[in-house]
């Protein structure tokens, strides 16, 4: 079976319903504001939070955030907002 079919189907459905693909598919959404504020939607929890490193579980893998003075400003079941001076963002796909 072609692994790209479900994604294409979701893209088609979201386009026809005029909905964002990430919302329909339940994918994570990452928004970076400069080097000092980061919002992650659809996170699934914190895997690691230590000096200079924050690792999150997201539906499509793991998100690794590195930087200085990282602090979690707000966190709820769907959204996490991080402040600090970011030096790196890396999305690691599960199973890759």
């Amino acid at each position: 079976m072609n692994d790209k079919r479900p994604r294409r189907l979701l893209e088609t459905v979201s386009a026809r319903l005029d909905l964002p693909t990430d919302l329909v598919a339940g994918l994570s959404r990452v928004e970076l504001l400069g080097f000092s504020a980061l919002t992650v939607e659809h996170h699934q929890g914190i895997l690691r939070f230590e000096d200079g490193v924050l690792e999150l579980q997201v539906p499509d893998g793991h998100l690794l955030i590195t930087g200085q003075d990282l602090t979690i400003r707000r966190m709820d079941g769907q959204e996490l907002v991080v402040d600090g001076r970011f030096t790196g963002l890396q999305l690691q796909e599960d199973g890759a």
Side-chain angles (χ1 to χ4, degrees):
M1 184 171 147
N2 187 344
D3 290 337
K4 294 181 182 180
R5 282 186 193 171
R7 183 164 289 219
R8 274 194 251 140
L9 176 62
L10 288 171
E11 290 171 356
T12 301
V13 168
S14 68
R16 290 191 182 187
L17 296 175
D18 197 26
L19 295 170
T21 304
D22 60 313
L23 177 67
V24 174
L27 298 174
S28 59
R29 177 180 211 137
V30 179
E31 181 178 308
L32 181 63
L33 181 62
F35 289 94
S36 61
L38 178 78
T39 301
V40 181
E41 295 178 6
H42 306 292
H43 72 90
Q44 296 176 326
I46 298 171
L47 299 173
R48 179 172 46 144
F49 187 30
E50 52 194 44
D51 190 37
V53 177
L54 174 60
E55 185 175 6
L56 303 174
Q57 179 72 47
V58 293
D60 29 2
H62 298 235
L63 178 63
L64 185 65
I65 303 161
T66 57
Q68 298 174 337
D69 303 322
L70 299 179
T71 58
I72 297 173
R73 181 183 348 152
R74 185 177 70 247
M75 179 175 155
D76 61 31
Q78 290 294 309
E79 184 177 82
L80 183 132
V81 180
V82 182
D83 293 325
R85 288 183 300 231
F86 304 112
T87 58
L89 296 173
Q90 183 177 20
L91 182 61
Q92 302 168 338
E93 197 171 13
D94 281 339

